[in-house]
Amino acid sequence: PGKKVLIVYAHQEPKSFNGSLLKIAVEELTKQGCSVTVSDLYAMQFEPRATRNDIVGHLHNSEAFNYGVETWEAYKRGGLSKDLVEEQKKVQEADLLIFQFPLFWFSMPAILKGWMDRVLVQGFAYDLSKAYDGGLLQDKLSLFSFTTGGSKEKYAIRGDIRYLLWPMQHGIMHFCGVKVLEPHICYAPENVSEDKRKEMLTAWTQRLKTLWKEQPIDCSPEWYFK
């Protein structure tokens, strides 16, 4: 109770299966006494592109634009654009970050990748001397909850789905010091029966009930590639 959760949601249609997973998470976690904030990226028309517009006022180097350097400098002086400051505040306050999305091309949708690119800037989420277990967003948990187009069997033939999670969970979350819970994967909801879909939704509800008792995964290459 009293925990704060940020759900970063990337789907265009509220009536989608992802929309149902979001709704369940909001309801279940609220019922537990958590305060839940949702960043609905499509509804917000969130800008995924990392551009000069992310810096308010003067540039550190007006001769040649370097996004990483400029956002780091802007963060230090409080010169990031309003939308970024708002998202960073939500991240800062959250005990748990849930990312809810459909898997596109073995990765997250562009709008969500853009959120990662723009929000998790140096100085806020990491510093080069403070990354991974020393990252700046320690004491937070994250969970990637996503749907796939292909079945579990298809993924098994082509190599473990855990390989795809390495850049997302390890390269982004763990890099920033965030602990990672087991991913929640709903395989091919569009290709299964209505009953199976209901089962998937029930499984998500059940998992959320005991989520705070879970231990994070071992953030090592072995978890992904063993």
Side-chain angles (χ1 to χ4, degrees):
K3 296 274 195 198
K4 292 193 170 176
V5 182
L6 170 61
I7 305 177
V8 186
Y9 167 70
H11 199 290
Q12 311 87 331
E13 175 51 66
K15 294 195 285 284
S16 64
F17 193 79
N18 273 274
S20 301
L21 292 165
L22 170 70
K23 196 161 169 278
I24 286 170
V26 172
E27 283 169 8
E28 182 53 44
L29 292 165
T30 303
K31 209 186 288 176
Q32 293 175 19
C34 301
S35 88
V36 183
T37 303
V38 178
S39 284
D40 182 342
L41 301 183
Y42 285 102
M44 290 156 67
Q45 297 190 324
F46 186 80
E47 167 62 84
R49 294 170 301 178
T51 68
R52 161 77 181 80
N53 298 338
D54 293 348
I55 292 99
V56 178
H58 68 85
L59 288 178
H60 179 68
N61 175 2
S62 52
E63 297 300 304
F65 184 73
N66 177 320
Y67 187 81
V69 169
E70 293 298 343
T71 47
W72 186 25
E73 293 295 336
Y75 176 75
K76 287 190 285 194
R77 65 176 167 81
L80 287 174
S81 61
K82 188 164 160 285
D83 59 338
L84 295 194
V85 174
E86 279 170 13
E87 293 307 298
Q88 288 176 345
K89 188 165 183 286
K90 294 176 196 173
V91 171
Q92 197 74 64
E93 290 175 353
D95 297 297
L96 167 66
L97 309 168
I98 296 178
F99 299 99
Q100 181 63 59
F101 59 97
L103 199 69
F104 284 2
W105 292 117
F106 276 26
S107 187
M108 58 184 94
I111 199 166
L112 178 54
K113 179 57 166 59
W115 185 92
M116 304 281 183
D117 292 348
R118 296 180 63 227
V119 175
L120 303 175
V121 303
Q122 187 170 352
F124 169 68
Y126 70 94
D127 223 322
L128 295 180
S129 60
K130 299 188 180 88
Y132 294 113
D133 294 337
L136 300 178
L137 300 180
Q138 286 172 54
D139 305 324
K140 296 186 190 301
L141 292 168
S142 62
L143 192 165
F144 285 82
S145 169
F146 60 94
T147 57
T148 67
S151 66
K152 192 168 187 175
E153 295 69 39
K154 282 225 168 79
Y155 276 96
I157 297 162
R158 301 195 177 113
D160 200 307
I161 197 161
R162 287 183 174 197
Y163 299 165
L164 317 183
L165 292 162
W166 172 256
M168 299 190 249
Q169 293 184 164
H170 181 76
I172 304 175
M173 285 298 115
H174 184 204
F175 186 80
C176 296
V178 180
K179 292 181 177 65
V180 180
L181 295 174
E182 283 279 346
H184 197 86
I185 309 171
C186 291
Y187 289 95
E190 284 181 12
N191 303 335
V192 298
S193 66
E194 192 53 42
D195 283 349
K196 191 83 186 95
R197 276 199 289 273
K198 285 203 178 100
E199 270 174 41
M200 287 179 180
L201 295 175
T202 305
W204 179 225
T205 309
Q206 288 310 117
R207 180 170 179 197
L208 289 162
K209 286 185 192 306
T210 55
L211 197 64
W212 300 104
K213 296 195 177 90
E214 288 187 21
Q215 288 302 312
I217 65 164
D218 161 36
C219 273
S220 66
E222 287 72 36
W223 188 89
Y224 298 90
F225 304 110
K226 61 176 182 256

